[in-house]
Amino acid sequence: MAFENVVITKELDEKYKLSKIFNIYNRRYKTIPERKKFLFDSDKECFLLECYHYEDPEFDHAYLSKAVYIMWYQNTFIELVIDYNLHEMIGNEMYDYIYEILDIKVLDSTIKDNKEGFNVIGYDYICRVLDIKDKSPLSKDEIFSVVKDALLACKGYGGKIYVLDEITKQKLEQTKLSLDEANEILDIADDTGYFDYIAKHLDLRYLGVFNKYTVFCEGVNDIKDTRSIDKTIALKFLDIDTNTSLKNAFIRVFDIDEQSLLKTLKSDMFKCVDIYNIFSSRLNKELHDTKEYKAYVEFEIMYETLLKRFARETSGAVRVIVSDNPSHSFVHATCKEIMKNENITMINDIPKKFYHDCAWYYEDLLDAFRREKEFFKEHVKETELLLKQLSIYKKYGVRGFNIFRFFYKYYDKAFRFFNKYYNPFMKVVIFGLQLACVYFVIRLVIVLLKIFGLI
């Protein structure tokens, strides 16, 4: 019998210690959640249980696709870290879910290193809870084969599944589609997965000669000897008027006529709608269920994916030209990736370290991007104060930043003082205050006991 996606029963829970396993990775759960499923092969007495999803470092209360699994096979517990991606073409066939096994760790008596990345105590604790003592004879190749069989049996999402090996992974990473190759794929496209695949692998290399910097702007970049996305094949590919393969693919996939498609992509009827806002989607359900809106969303996703990739592949100095009313895609795709990219050193002739790490959330970053180098030269004092405030905030947190602002008009002395004495000085002050509070509480208790005649 092959692997099946089955609901965990009380008998299975007690036999394989599933509640104990789940509690290790999710401390608030004493028992396994009701109706939770796992992949189970009754003949091999082997199971694969999803235990924990890694938290997204960029968003609160959000989780990544990367997850920790526990497998039981041949009387051995195995911890796996598995991630998945969407829509990849392998061997001229489109797959919906591409699983990648990032780490395999056999839990036995020899493993002692502590865990990192999520809230558990350590491998020695896991072995103690699950009563693991013996050394396992299983090899990683054998484990990979069993896990692959289990993942291929996972039909919960109703899509085609592929489990990556090292060779296939390298081929996918090296895939760079030319304009002709992308259009050939579009000619056979029958769902949106093909659009996602092309956006992830379209070649964004700048083939010309540039000796200045990279320009990020909305529209055409007219500055000579500079690199920008409009000087790659990306905008040629996205030109719905001239790229007939893209236009025909959209008409075929979304079952929409040519006139409605061109009107939708060129008009501003959806520009004010945030395509990632689920609440907005529910409020505008009638609008969002239309073919036109779905086509617009897919086109925007392709455009944002290409913008993000171009920003990630950039290094050195960049110039960001921001209009008075920048689009959602430009702010939340381009600007965000620029701030995350450690290979970018200068933004508009200002060292990148002077920009706040999370400034892309706020209008102040766009204002800073709009300013030229001459503005900073003319307003040296204001700029220096701003930069010192940011450095105080990043180094000492909110408390240090608020205290620094208290000494606003003496910022030169305050900045030198905080950089040199903040940590030891504040530790002594806080410790002294704590001692004073303890002394006050003791004296108060003694007075109250005397009042009530207890001493």
Side-chain angles (χ1 to χ4, degrees):
M1 187 174 179
F3 279 95
E4 291 181 339
N5 205 11
V6 300
V7 176
I8 297 173
T9 62
K10 185 178 180 181
E11 292 76 17
L12 290 171
D13 183 6
E14 292 175 353
K15 182 177 181 180
Y16 296 109
K17 307 177 184 177
L18 299 178
S19 289
K20 284 187 177 181
I21 295 170
F22 201 77
N23 174 256
I24 290 171
Y25 298 90
N26 304 273
R27 307 311 292 271
R28 63 193 181 96
Y29 287 97
K30 299 300 181 185
T31 59
I32 201 98
E34 290 185 15
R35 308 297 299 171
K36 183 170 177 63
K37 294 184 176 182
F38 72 155
L39 292 164
F40 182 60
D41 187 336
S42 56
D43 290 342
K44 294 180 181 177
E45 288 206 357
C46 175
F47 70 77
L48 186 65
L49 174 67
E50 182 183 85
C51 296
Y52 177 89
H53 273 272
Y54 284 78
E55 295 179 359
D56 193 322
E58 295 182 17
F59 301 101
D60 293 334
H61 312 297
Y63 294 88
L64 303 174
S65 57
K66 185 167 71 170
V68 178
Y69 291 74
I70 286 290
M71 186 173 79
W72 169 258
Y73 178 60
Q74 291 189 6
N75 297 320
T76 304
F77 285 106
I78 302 140
E79 186 194 69
L80 304 146
V81 180
I82 300 175
D83 198 1
Y84 70 84
N85 204 347
L86 302 175
H87 305 135
E88 293 287 0
M89 183 175 281
I90 301 170
N92 297 324
E93 192 168 356
M94 179 61 68
Y95 291 89
D96 300 296
Y97 291 87
I98 317 314
Y99 283 95
E100 182 182 359
I101 302 170
L102 302 175
D103 188 35
I104 298 174
K105 205 169 288 287
V106 179
L107 303 179
D108 57 35
S109 58
T110 62
I111 188 165
K112 296 296 180 184
D113 55 319
N114 290 325
K115 304 182 65 53
E116 295 179 0
F118 45 89
N119 186 26
V120 294
I121 296 174
Y123 286 119
D124 52 350
Y125 172 76
I126 297 174
C127 293
R128 190 165 63 253
V129 170
L130 301 179
D131 194 25
I132 299 170
K133 296 178 180 177
D134 299 330
K135 180 174 171 57
S136 172
L138 294 174
S139 67
K140 289 195 174 182
D141 290 338
E142 184 179 359
I143 294 168
F144 180 88
S145 177
V146 177
V147 176
K148 182 178 179 180
D149 292 339
L151 292 174
L152 290 175
C154 180
K155 301 295 183 182
Y157 300 107
K160 294 182 68 176
I161 293 170
Y162 191 92
V163 181
L164 276 181
D165 53 51
E166 199 61 35
I167 296 174
T168 310
K169 180 185 174 183
Q170 291 177 3
K171 287 182 179 178
L172 283 176
E173 289 174 349
Q174 295 169 3
T175 300
K176 300 289 184 184
L177 298 174
S178 66
L179 186 59
D180 292 336
E181 289 171 334
N183 287 336
E184 286 177 9
I185 294 172
L186 287 174
D187 292 337
I188 62 170
D190 56 4
D191 62 51
T192 57
Y194 290 86
F195 301 136
D196 297 341
Y197 171 74
I198 293 171
K200 287 190 292 186
H201 294 286
L202 191 68
D203 192 353
L204 296 181
R205 287 176 294 182
Y206 176 62
L207 302 177
V209 177
F210 74 98
N211 52 21
K212 289 185 178 179
Y213 41 76
T214 299
V215 174
F216 290 93
C217 64
E218 294 185 278
V220 178
N221 168 32
D222 295 325
I223 305 174
K224 292 183 179 180
D225 300 328
T226 57
R227 173 179 173 268
S228 59
I229 194 168
D230 63 289
K231 297 179 181 179
T232 68
I233 62 173
L235 295 194
K236 290 181 181 178
F237 171 76
L238 291 174
D239 191 342
I240 201 75
D241 289 318
T242 59
N243 191 350
T244 54
S245 295
L246 181 63
K247 180 170 64 179
N248 293 335
F250 264 78
I251 292 170
R252 185 170 59 255
V253 169
F254 294 101
D255 191 22
I256 186 173
D257 61 89
E258 181 178 346
Q259 186 176 358
S260 299
L261 175 67
L262 295 176
K263 182 181 177 181
T264 299
L265 298 183
K266 291 180 180 180
S267 70
D268 295 332
M269 61 184 298
F270 297 119
K271 293 292 183 184
C272 60
V273 181
D274 183 356
I275 62 175
Y276 298 107
N277 190 329
I278 298 173
F279 184 65
S280 172
S281 298
R282 290 171 182 167
L283 290 176
N284 300 279
K285 192 173 188 307
E286 291 184 3
L287 172 68
H288 290 198
D289 284 343
T290 61
K291 299 174 183 178
E292 290 81 2
Y293 180 76
K294 291 177 180 177
Y296 168 79
V297 168
E298 187 58 40
F299 192 85
E300 280 294 299
I301 290 173
M302 289 176 64
Y303 179 55
E304 284 198 20
T305 302
L306 291 168
L307 284 176
K308 287 178 180 179
R309 284 188 50 219
F310 186 76
R312 287 191 204 113
E313 296 172 12
T314 300
S315 60
V318 303
R319 178 169 290 276
V320 183
I321 302 172
V322 184
S323 63
D324 292 333
N325 187 24
S327 67
H328 179 276
S329 300
F330 186 78
V331 175
H332 292 272
T334 305
C335 294
K336 176 181 174 181
E337 293 299 329
I338 289 172
M339 298 307 296
K340 285 168 57 179
N341 189 344
E342 296 180 355
N343 295 322
I344 292 176
T345 56
M346 301 278 288
I347 303 175
N348 292 3
D349 298 324
I350 306 298
K352 186 188 169 188
K353 64 181 180 180
F354 290 153
Y355 292 96
H356 192 275
D357 291 342
C358 298
W360 63 270
Y361 282 112
Y362 312 107
E363 285 295 323
D364 58 348
L365 176 67
L366 299 182
D367 292 337
F369 282 168
R370 290 188 184 103
R371 297 168 183 169
E372 298 296 326
K373 189 176 181 181
E374 287 69 23
F375 175 89
F376 286 91
K377 284 182 178 178
E378 292 173 6
H379 301 77
V380 174
K381 282 206 168 184
E382 291 87 341
T383 305
E384 284 181 354
L385 176 62
L386 172 65
L387 300 181
K388 289 173 182 178
Q389 286 178 338
L390 290 178
S391 64
I392 286 285
Y393 178 80
K394 291 169 72 174
K395 190 171 183 180
Y396 302 120
V398 176
R399 181 188 293 170
F401 178 67
N402 289 336
I403 296 173
F404 174 79
R405 292 187 67 184
F406 180 75
F407 297 102
Y408 179 81
K409 57 184 177 180
Y410 307 109
Y411 67 87
D412 280 329
K413 295 179 181 178
F415 183 68
R416 287 196 294 270
F417 172 80
F418 271 93
N419 269 319
K420 190 173 183 180
Y421 301 112
Y422 178 83
N423 282 332
F425 176 75
M426 288 304 296
K427 285 180 180 178
V428 171
V429 171
I430 291 170
F431 182 69
L433 290 173
Q434 289 171 339
L435 288 177
C437 289
V438 171
Y439 175 77
F440 176 77
V441 170
I442 292 172
R443 294 292 299 171
L444 181 62
V445 170
I446 292 171
V447 170
L448 290 173
L449 288 174
K450 287 182 177 179
I451 291 173
F452 290 103
L454 296 176
I455 57 172

